[in-house]
Structures are given as structure tokens and as C-alpha cells.
Amino acid sequence: MTRLPALAALAAGTALAGCSLAPTYVRPAAPVPTSWPAGDAYLRQSEARLPSVTYRDIFRDPRLQAIIDQALANNRDLRVAVANIEATRAQYRIQRADLFPQVNATGAYSYRDSGSSGVVTGTDSGGTGTGGTGTGTGAGGTGTGTGGTGTGTGGTGTGTGVTTVSSARSTFQAQLGVTAFEIDLFGRVRSLTSAALSRYFAQEAAARATRLTLVGDIANAWLAYAADRSLLAVAQQTAEAARASVKLTDARLRGGVAPRTDLRQAQQILATAEADLAQQTTLLAQDVNALQLLVGAPVDPALLPGSIEQAAATIGELPAGIDSGVLLRRPDVVQAEYALRAYNAEIGAARAELFPRISLTGLVGFASTALRTLFNSGSFNYSVAPNASYPIFRAGAGRAGVAFSVAQRDAALASYEQTIQTAFQEVSDALARRGTITEQLAANRRFFEAAQDTLNLTNARYRGGIDTFLSSLDAQRQLYSAQQILVQTQLTRATNLVTLYRTLGGDSLLDATPQGPLTATGGEPDAAGVRAPAAAR
């Protein structure tokens, strides 16, 4: 029965701890239209929602998939992101531990040996003698007296003695104690724990944003290499044709048929092609370097594409869907929302600071002078010491703390809404480009075919003496320019599909929008109730 008060006090404190002064979180309305822009620049969108996709559904070339897989295992930015997840996860668990009492177990043994002293005093009278010296011995000491002439009486003797008493004692103790456990009556600790959890989820979303950016950057770098390979091939073909033209023109000049201006113009075409050839060779090497930096390891040359025509054909379409609510699944939007949730929870902690802070210190244990009787019922003891503190005067610091938290929450709200608006603008721009790039590519392809036919006809007319050499050179320049434009347009179309993948959230479309803990991260809850991050999936 003597244990009931301590247990009752602890149970009552735990039952009271549960309320929160944080404002109820309600997801803000998205500050963008519910549908994508419409008009001549945009494709007619399907009424269906955006399906769940992975990067393998969009980037279908096995070589590109292999490079992406290698990057997900080796990229340093992604490793930093995963390390940041682990750090914020540990911070959450540290903060969460404050919700529970810290129980300390102690065992102690002490030995004490001390001595005590006592004083003993005795008195006695000497014997009686005649004329001589009398000596008397008493229990307390010895006295000596000298008699006078005749009959004399011995003197009285007094003696003092010291007695020493020895004392030794052993003590054994075993205790369980709770020191200054805060009873979270007003939800301060619970609000801070909620804020730490939201920041953990925000960091997990940031890692997914890093992963999404990495996949998109690798796809763009792979396509850029393909385009430069095509441009290198165009420069090589043009240089070979220019060399043949220079050789033919030089022969005609020596034969007195062609003027020197024809030779110089042909040499200009050759010099331009040779300069482009050198530049494209440099760009190809730089493209490989960029890929290796993204991957974090050397890239097998066998995984590189041969031309933009070949590479662009492997990039799949990504339907956008009519509902702009898919933006709420973008990792950067999820990160901004969890940051907003964290600041919202911190308002509750700041408000709780305005109220008394109640803590409880308790001790339960056994103490005995002998080890064999340590755990007997008579050795049990306990103590309970509740404590309440309330600041009387803080010069307005408490209310200022609440105002500061509210201002931070308002700033986070504005950042969240701006993130959604930026995402909407990025998707709209990508859709505008997607809505017209097919027509532009078709037009540039027709231009290339016409330029190629024009060169063939002009060369035939020149050989037949109908057209001048200048017409042939102009046709050659037009074809060279048409080939370059066609390659750039093909690259633009392919990278536009990559941009749509990134701006619509990519693989994050597989994850649910945040309504609490991220339940679709692919991890299992651990002992602290936190799911393991899936940033490196």
C-alpha cells in the first residue's frame, strides 16, 4: 500500500500530458488553377489523372537505365542527402525521448569505521600515619600526603583515565529514480516532437527531390552527348564534302576554268566545318566528364548513345492529366509543406512556455546494512517530489516567442504557396513547349529535306554550266545549317520530355501526398515509429 502514492502520481502526470496548444493544421488551398493552361500552345489534355510511373517507364533505353542505376548507387549528392535524412531522424528520436521519463538505476555500497572516546575520573584518600609520610591508593589514582609532627593524615589522590570504543558499519543500496521528468501538461514537448518529426519527413522529401533532379540531369547529359555525336557526324560529312569541293575547284582553277574566288569560298566552307569538328570533339569529351561527375564513377563507353535520332526515340511520353493537384506530390512541394507543419507545431511549444512547467522527481529503492536483507520488505523506501515553476517576469519574452513562431509559420506558408506556383509555372512552360515542338520538328525536317534536294539540284546545274559555283556553295551552307537545326530540335523535343518528367514529380507520383507520416516511402517503422528513408530507391 505504501507504493500506491508514487504510482498514482506518475500515472496522473502521464494521463494529463496529451493536450497541445498548437493550431490545428489545415492544408492551405493551392494558389494555382485546378487545370493546366489551354490554348494554341498547349496540347489537349486527357481527362484521366496522371498514372503512376517510374523512370524506367519514361527512359526506356537499357543503356540509360544502367547509367541511372549506377548513379543512384554512387552519386555524392545523393549520399549527402541520405546522410542528412539519418541526421534529422536521429534528432527526432532525441526529441521524442523527452516524452518519456529517464529512469536511472543505481547501486551503492558504503563502509564506515569510526572510534569514540570516554573520560573516567577517580578520587581516594591516603592512609593515616604518625609523623611520617602517608600514602594512600584509590581506585582512580594514587595520592601522597606528608603528615606533620605527631599524627598526620595522608593527602587525597585523584586520577583520570581514557577509555576508547570502536564502531564499524556497512550499508547496501539499490534504487530506481526519475529525475525532473516534465509532465507535458500543456503539450510543449509534444509540439517540439511533432516539429522534429515534420522536419525529418521534410528532409526525406528533399532527398527525393535530389534523386529526381539527378535522374533528370543524367538523362539530359546522355541526350546532350547523343546530340553532340550527331553534330560531330554532320561536321565530318560537311568537311569531307568541302574537301572534295576544294580539290575540284583547285583543279578547275589550275585549268583556267574557275576563278580564285571559287576556291576561296570553298576553303571557307571547309574551314568552318573543320572548326566545328574540333569544337564537337571537345564537347563530346566534356559531355562524358559531366556524366561521370553525375554518376560518381567512370561510365562505360558502350552505354553511350550513337546519335540523337536513336536516343530521342527511347524517351517515352508522360501524360500530364488535367488536375494540377498532382503538383502536391512533387518532392519540393512536399518538403515545403512539412516545413510549414514544423513551424505550425512550434507555435504550440511557444504558447506552452507561457504556462507553468511541472516536473516530477521520484525515487524507489532498498537500503540495508546487510546484503542478504537488502530486498526485504522492511528495506523498501520511496520518495516523490513534484515541482512547478512559473516565470513571474520575463519582460515580454514569452509573448515575443509566440509572435516569432507565428511569423515563421507565416513565412513558411508563403514559401509553400510560392513553391506550388513555381511548380505550376514550370509544368505550364513544359506543356507549352510540348504542344508545339512536334510541329516545329516536322517543319525543320521538311526544311532539311528541301535543303538536301536543293544541294543535289544545284550541283547538277553547276556541273551542267547552268548555275554558278556560288549557288552551289550557298546550297551547301543551307544544308549544313538545316542539319544542325534539325539535331537541336530533336534534342529539344527529347529534353522537353525529361523536363515534364521532372516538373510533374517523376517517381514521386508513386507516393501519397502528405497526410501525416510518409506511408509510401517503402520502409518499415522502426522502434521509434519512424519509417526508414527511401531516398536511394
Side-chain angles (χ1 to χ4, degrees):
M1 296 297 293
T2 58
R3 307 180 187 182
L4 292 179
L7 298 177
L10 184 60
T14 305
L16 288 174
C19 67
S20 175
L21 299 179
T24 301
Y25 178 79
V26 178
R27 174 181 289 170
V32 294
T34 57
S35 60
W36 306 117
D40 294 338
Y42 300 93
L43 292 173
R44 178 175 298 176
Q45 302 302 323
S46 168
E47 293 294 327
R49 276 183 169 273
L50 184 66
S52 297
V53 296
T54 68
Y55 70 85
R56 295 180 179 274
D57 297 323
I58 305 303
F59 311 126
R60 301 168 182 171
D61 193 302
R63 295 172 299 177
L64 178 55
Q65 292 176 1
I67 293 177
I68 292 175
D69 292 339
Q70 187 181 6
L72 294 179
N74 297 306
N75 181 264
R76 269 51 179 181
D77 288 336
L78 198 57
R79 289 184 182 182
V80 170
V82 172
N84 289 336
I85 288 178
E86 294 300 327
T88 54
R89 180 174 181 267
Q91 288 175 340
Y92 161 70
R93 297 185 69 176
I94 292 172
Q95 179 60 56
R96 183 176 180 269
D98 289 341
L99 290 172
F100 305 94
Q102 177 178 329
V103 180
N104 301 315
T106 59
Y109 166 74
S110 64
Y111 175 81
R112 181 181 179 185
D113 186 0
S114 61
S116 61
S117 300
V119 178
V120 180
T121 302
T123 304
D124 197 5
S125 299
T128 301
T130 303
T133 300
T135 301
T137 301
T142 302
T144 303
T146 303
T149 303
T151 301
T153 302
T156 301
T158 302
T160 303
V162 178
T163 302
T164 302
V165 180
S166 178
S167 175
R169 182 178 182 181
S170 296
T171 304
F172 298 87
Q173 292 181 340
Q175 296 177 336
L176 288 176
V178 175
T179 304
F181 167 59
E182 181 177 350
I183 300 176
D184 198 21
L185 188 61
F186 301 102
R188 186 187 73 87
V189 178
R190 194 170 298 276
S191 294
L192 292 177
T193 302
S194 177
L197 180 61
S198 292
R199 287 198 167 88
Y200 163 64
F201 289 139
Q203 193 62 52
E204 201 271 347
R208 284 191 280 128
T210 302
R211 179 182 184 276
L212 176 63
T213 300
L214 173 64
V215 172
D217 287 345
I218 290 176
N220 283 332
W222 191 75
L223 291 170
Y225 178 90
D228 287 334
R229 280 288 297 267
S230 293
L231 291 174
L232 178 65
V234 169
Q236 290 172 338
Q237 294 172 1
T238 303
E240 292 175 1
R243 290 189 188 98
S245 180
V246 168
K247 183 178 180 180
L248 175 62
T249 306
D250 184 57
R252 289 170 63 85
L253 174 64
R254 287 194 301 269
V257 178
R260 182 175 294 275
T261 55
D262 288 355
L263 176 61
R264 287 303 186 185
Q265 289 173 341
Q267 289 173 341
Q268 290 176 16
I269 297 292
L270 176 59
T272 300
E274 289 176 340
D276 290 344
L277 190 61
Q279 181 182 11
Q280 291 306 133
T281 302
T282 301
L283 290 177
L284 276 178
Q286 293 174 344
D287 291 339
V288 173
N289 294 336
L291 267 176
Q292 289 180 346
L293 177 62
L294 291 171
V295 171
V299 177
D300 186 355
L303 301 177
L304 300 176
S307 66
I308 188 61
E309 294 85 1
Q310 177 192 83
T314 64
I315 308 299
E317 295 279 353
L318 183 68
I322 195 171
D323 189 358
S324 63
V326 296
L327 295 179
L328 298 180
R329 294 182 284 183
R330 269 184 40 152
D332 56 340
V333 176
V334 173
Q335 180 185 4
E337 182 173 357
Y338 274 120
L340 175 60
R341 287 171 178 255
Y343 285 117
N344 188 77
E346 287 179 347
I347 294 177
R351 288 175 175 175
E353 290 285 356
L354 301 176
F355 294 88
R357 187 176 297 184
I358 302 173
S359 61
L360 179 67
T361 298
L363 184 65
V364 177
F366 297 86
S368 176
T369 58
L371 184 60
R372 65 179 181 276
T373 61
L374 178 60
F375 295 102
N376 290 349
S377 59
S379 302
F380 176 78
N381 62 85
Y382 73 91
S383 65
V384 178
N387 179 65
S389 63
Y390 180 69
I392 301 299
F393 178 72
R394 294 180 60 193
R399 294 186 180 277
V402 176
F404 176 72
S405 299
V406 171
Q408 284 188 310
R409 190 272 315 274
D410 293 343
L413 173 60
S415 297
Y416 169 70
E417 292 175 339
Q418 186 178 30
T419 302
I420 295 178
Q421 291 174 337
T422 301
F424 185 85
Q425 184 245 333
E426 290 175 351
V427 175
S428 299
D429 289 347
L431 289 176
R433 176 74 281 189
R434 182 70 190 93
T436 58
I437 190 62
T438 302
E439 296 177 359
Q440 181 178 347
L441 179 61
N444 288 335
R445 195 179 299 279
R446 291 194 299 271
F447 177 73
F448 162 72
E449 293 171 353
Q452 191 173 38
D453 192 42
T454 298
L455 177 62
N456 294 334
L457 294 174
T458 302
N459 287 337
R461 290 170 63 87
Y462 171 67
R463 288 192 297 269
I466 300 175
D467 280 345
T468 63
F469 184 65
L470 179 60
S471 299
S472 178
L473 291 178
D474 286 340
Q476 192 171 355
R477 290 192 189 98
Q478 288 291 336
L479 177 61
Y480 187 34
S481 176
Q483 288 174 308
Q484 291 176 321
I485 292 174
L486 180 60
V487 169
Q488 291 295 338
T489 306
Q490 290 172 324
L491 176 62
T492 299
R493 180 184 180 278
T495 55
N496 174 252
L497 296 176
V498 177
T499 300
L500 275 174
Y501 168 82
R502 290 174 57 173
T503 56
L504 286 169
D507 289 8
S508 65
L509 299 174
L510 296 169
D511 298 321
T513 52
Q515 297 290 348
L518 292 181
T519 57
T521 57
E524 293 298 330
D526 64 5
V530 181
R531 290 185 177 271
R537 280 185 304 168

